[in-house]
Amino acid sequence: MSRFLLTASVAALALAAPFAASAQDEATIRMAEQLRDKAMSSNVAMDYVTQLTTRFGPRPAGSHSEQAAAAWAADYLKALGFRNVQIQEFPLVGWERGAESGSIVGANPQPLAIAALGHSPGTPEGGVEAEVVRFTSFEALQAVADGSLAGKIALVDVGQMHAMQDGSGYGPQTRIRGAGPDVAAKKGASAFLIRSVGSDENRLPHTGTTRYVDGKVAIPSFAVSAPDADQIARLITLGQTVRVHLSSTAHVYETRSQNVIADLPGRTRPDEIIVLGSHMDSWDLGTGAIDDGAGGAITIGAAKAIAEAGQRPERTIRVILYGSEEVAQPVVTGNGGGAYLRDQGDKVADHIIAGESDFGADRVFALGLPPGAQGGDFQKIATRVLYPIGVLASPRPETEGGSDIGPLAEAGVPVFGLKQDGTRYFDLHHTANDTLDKIDPAQLNQNVAAWTALVWLIANSDVEFRSTMPKPAQ
Amino acid sequence: MSRFLLTASVAALALAAPFAASAQDEATIRMAEQLRDKAMSSNVAMDYVTQLTTRFGPRPAGSHSEQAAAAWAADYLKALGFRNVQIQEFPLVGWERGAESGSIVGANPQPLAIAALGHSPGTPEGGVEAEVVRFTSFEALQAVADGSLAGKIALVDVGQMHAMQDGSGYGPQTRIRGAGPDVAAKKGASAFLIRSVGSDENRLPHTGTTRYVDGKVAIPSFAVSAPDADQIARLITLGQTVRVHLSSTAHVYETRSQNVIADLPGRTRPDEIIVLGSHMDSWDLGTGAIDDGAGGAITIGAAKAIAEAGQRPERTIRVILYGSEEVAQPVVTGNGGGAYLRDQGDKVADHIIAGESDFGADRVFALGLPPGAQGGDFQKIATRVLYPIGVLASPRPETEGGSDIGPLAEAGVPVFGLKQDGTRYFDLHHTANDTLDKIDPAQLNQNVAAWTALVWLIANSDVEFRSTMPKPAQ
């Protein structure tokens, strides 16, 4: 049966918003709907993320825990019936937090809830103790004279991050987290503090990576929780000099990380690969349930739901659990996405599209497709299938993916995005609070349902996402 | 003017629910209403709790911080115009947390969010390491044979505390916290763990005091956060033996605490004392904003609002910021409430009524009066004045007060209660999250308004709450 036949059911849909031709046949669309509905009550995703986070807890990149979790996940995928399950190792400069503490010192000492930023160096033995100079914008820190913060600790506090459905409050503040330590060091500061990049008011700091300059993070750098940042601000307002003691034994070490790769081989076009990506590593403070155990759960759950459809899809579905997404420092090492790309070589051309789930476990609300597919027939069919579970077409095409599939995207592989509700994501992200209990199983399964239906449509489609991409010159 | 005159405004109110006679004159009622409304936009309460929690941070009983905060508060009260401001010292066995840590050990180690319970002894140097035996009821722990937990750590996890408006989920679980260490020790356990008594799912354990038996807490005892308790439960469900390492340098020390006492002397009947109580000390993990900086803020704010009425009230209003509410161990020392009672001696008879604010900063929803005043004219007038700000009559009379005024109540002083909404109180209570940002200034001022209006009515009333109390034999 031609996939371009305008079927009865699609014709019915077309009454509301007509489109010229179908990219899928009727049976494929109906199966997508059936798989979607069945996935809403699946157990696979919740089982995977429960076992992963419970058995291994935090999984920092390159740690024994990440390695053990990868080995376990490979067995888990084999037991689910995936083929060609491999663990692809790569070298990594790991980072261990060690012991750390922070406090306001003086007549009325107060503990501070702090966490070293990823790849931050430890403090000298005995710690760093100095007056805090507070900046309410990054520009204000940049504006002071080089060397003028000698014997001081720089604190940048631009206020609470705004919670947004699309997470758009995050970017501006992480840029400060990335560039802050180097700028503070140039000004002479002995340590760098940043108000946690997060939208909550818990005494749980948000860690996260910071940028290497000349092969390292310049000075010991820490996130302070929002209430602690507010406390420092109020003490300064009361006219007090705030002196802070910071201690950290954080350090880097040589290790390895790994990607776990598992296929559901295509029936008729096995060399056309659809990548479903997420990452296995987590920050060390929580157990990485929402970041990003959930992503693995969603993509594994979707692929497994498709495997149970009774007929293998035409194209190959590849689940990749990437290693080392969180602490990649490109200057000295790589992340899992880069390692996968390098390993594939010419086979990158076989990757027809890639998607990544790395934004928690809350519901999907929008579908973004590669630019050439935006507004086309495939999008129309896909969003009709996804609409009943609350997913609309994104007004923006998807071009970059995230950290894991980003290297594939840069190498020309089209990407899609199933956009998740991030309203509460940054309450939990990179904190000790990123634990299993924060996952809503119903919303997790809505993700599985969306991925299942979309990937089924892609895997049984003739659509060439590459050919529909605008040419680079355009 | 007779206070028993049924005034026009009261008569109007009486149309809806008639009552026989008024305990207040019309001018007093009108002033109560005016003071109530003015208090809704007061700055005093928020200023006090902001300064207290910012300047001094955590204020454990007997610490330098509690002492310094008491001295500062005395000056603050003098500056507000209070009279007879005194600091009443008393000896105390203090407790310091020191350093502590907990982790699951084995092939995949995981950190645990734990906090020693108040007055728990430290562990031996090097810590305690043993298999966890988990009990889902206190009765199950009590039922095992003495000595049968030798070389084990006992964990009692009766599930999440339910959030209730009246906080009624708390009592049953704190009884386990209090009695658990002794029972676990009798069974041979080397340490006692309890799922945090709290209604949240943050990785922030809830500390709290535990009971002395034979002059001490028997074994090192800790609260684990709810997500950590869940993690242990899941590991056991997966068939794993969960071994835990616990370390604590907690210890007791001889110190002193103090009550801060300040009067607004009565104009015509200064020897009739109305006590407005709260406590100055806090747990060491947070800054004691809701427990109980808010209580001081509310009672000081109310007394100050009354002081600004233009005419001093007839009876004396006494604000008491009690020391050492949290860690009182009656066997070895006392709390501020007991110290105050002992110091008063025969003057206890002058205390006509006492109220305590120690349940956070969320809104008051009910007024409880002494049994004899329940349903009487005073209650009717008071609840009519409080109704517009959302306060109804409590169906239960108030008989016990809380920890601070409890000793007065036991000595026969009638007590009242302005019942606060505790729905989110136990999300924060006794955790690092008890910080200023958790106070909603509008709800704090609704408390001030309720206290202001009620205390104004009491202070300008002939009502003898003692004489309306049922006789002990009844």
Side-chain angles (χ1 to χ4, degrees), chain A residues 51-332:
Chain A
Q51 290 207 48
L52 175 75
T53 60
T54 301
R55 290 181 184 277
F56 304 99
R59 302 171 302 282
S63 67
H64 169 77
S65 177
E66 191 207 29
Q67 293 162 0
W72 169 85
D75 290 341
Y76 189 93
L77 289 161
K78 283 176 198 162
L80 285 183
F82 285 86
R83 303 290 182 82
N84 312 324
V85 177
Q86 324 162 40
I87 293 179
Q88 181 213 342
E89 295 187 359
F90 55 91
L92 185 77
V93 176
W95 179 80
E96 274 189 348
R97 178 175 305 280
E100 63 190 10
S101 66
S103 57
I104 296 169
V105 296
N108 297 300
Q110 303 186 29
L112 289 173
I114 57 132
L117 298 178
H119 279 246
S120 166
T123 58
E125 207 172 314
V128 167
E129 187 177 310
E131 181 186 345
V132 171
V133 182
R134 180 172 178 268
F135 299 92
T136 56
S137 74
F138 190 45
E139 292 70 23
L141 171 63
Q142 289 171 312
V144 301
D146 283 2
S148 64
L149 297 180
K152 312 278 187 184
I153 293 170
L155 164 65
V156 178
D157 177 355
V158 300
Q160 194 83 340
M161 177 192 152
H162 296 291
M164 302 276 187
Q165 185 176 347
D166 66 357
S168 53
Y170 184 60
Q173 297 209 10
T174 54
R175 283 191 278 280
I176 302 170
R177 192 182 72 203
D182 182 58
V183 173
K186 283 202 173 70
K187 306 306 182 183
S190 52
F192 172 74
L193 296 177
I194 184 170
R195 183 194 183 100
S196 279
V197 182
S199 45
D200 62 301
E201 293 199 332
N202 290 314
R203 297 285 299 286
L204 295 170
H206 295 240
T207 189
T209 197
T210 184
R211 215 164 64 196
Y212 270 37
V213 177
D214 299 332
K216 64 181 199 304
V217 176
I219 49 176
S221 297
F222 303 83
V224 293
S225 85
D228 293 83
D230 290 342
Q231 184 81 330
I232 291 170
R234 280 190 300 268
L235 282 166
I236 292 171
T237 302
L238 286 171
Q240 297 193 14
T241 298
V242 178
R243 285 184 69 81
V244 161
H245 183 269
L246 298 165
S247 172
S248 162
T249 64
H251 58 278
V252 293
Y253 67 108
E254 300 285 326
T255 184
R256 62 175 173 79
S257 182
Q258 59 285 308
N259 298 323
V260 181
I261 304 164
D263 286 349
L264 190 63
R267 183 166 47 88
T268 56
R269 287 176 290 162
D271 291 341
E272 298 183 12
I273 298 167
I274 304 162
V275 167
L276 316 190
S278 66
H279 65 88
M280 170 62 81
D281 64 312
S282 77
W283 280 104
D284 57 332
L285 299 173
T287 64
I290 66 152
D291 186 13
D292 181 29
I298 291 162
T299 53
I300 292 169
K304 175 64 177 166
I306 289 169
E308 289 175 346
Q311 180 174 289
R312 269 162 50 205
E314 299 184 8
R315 288 162 159 170
T316 290
I317 297 168
R318 176 167 294 172
V319 170
I320 308 180
L321 306 169
Y322 290 95
S324 184
E325 189 267 349
E326 294 289 6
V327 293
Q329 290 292 347
V331 176
V332 288

Side-chain angles (χ1 to χ4, degrees), chain B residues 7 84 95-96 103 128 166 217 253 302 316 360 381 389 400 449 472:
Chain B
T7 66
N84 313 324
W95 178 80
E96 274 188 349
S103 57
V128 168
D166 65 357
V217 176
Y253 67 107
T316 290
I381 291 172
I389 57 170
E400 294 178 355

Side-chain angles (χ1 to χ4, degrees), chain A residues 201-203 432-433 438, chain B residues 54 201-203 432-433 438:
Chain A
E201 293 199 332
N202 290 314
R203 297 285 299 286
N433 248 355
K438 308 312 183 302
Chain B
T54 301
E201 293 200 332
N202 291 314
R203 296 285 299 286
N433 249 355
K438 308 311 183 303

Side-chain angles (χ1 to χ4, degrees), chain A residues 19-81:
Chain A
F19 48 92
S22 168
Q24 264 82 21
D25 63 27
E26 187 182 3
T28 297
I29 293 169
R30 286 196 181 160
M31 180 59 82
E33 291 167 342
Q34 287 171 24
L35 292 175
R36 175 200 70 198
D37 294 342
K38 194 174 168 204
M40 293 293 274
S41 55
S42 158
N43 294 321
V44 174
M46 202 63 203
D47 178 71
Y48 171 82
V49 70
T50 300
Q51 290 207 48
L52 175 75
T53 60
T54 301
R55 290 181 184 277
F56 304 99
R59 302 171 302 282
S63 67
H64 169 77
S65 177
E66 191 207 29
Q67 293 162 0
W72 169 85
D75 290 341
Y76 189 93
L77 289 161
K78 283 176 198 162
L80 285 183

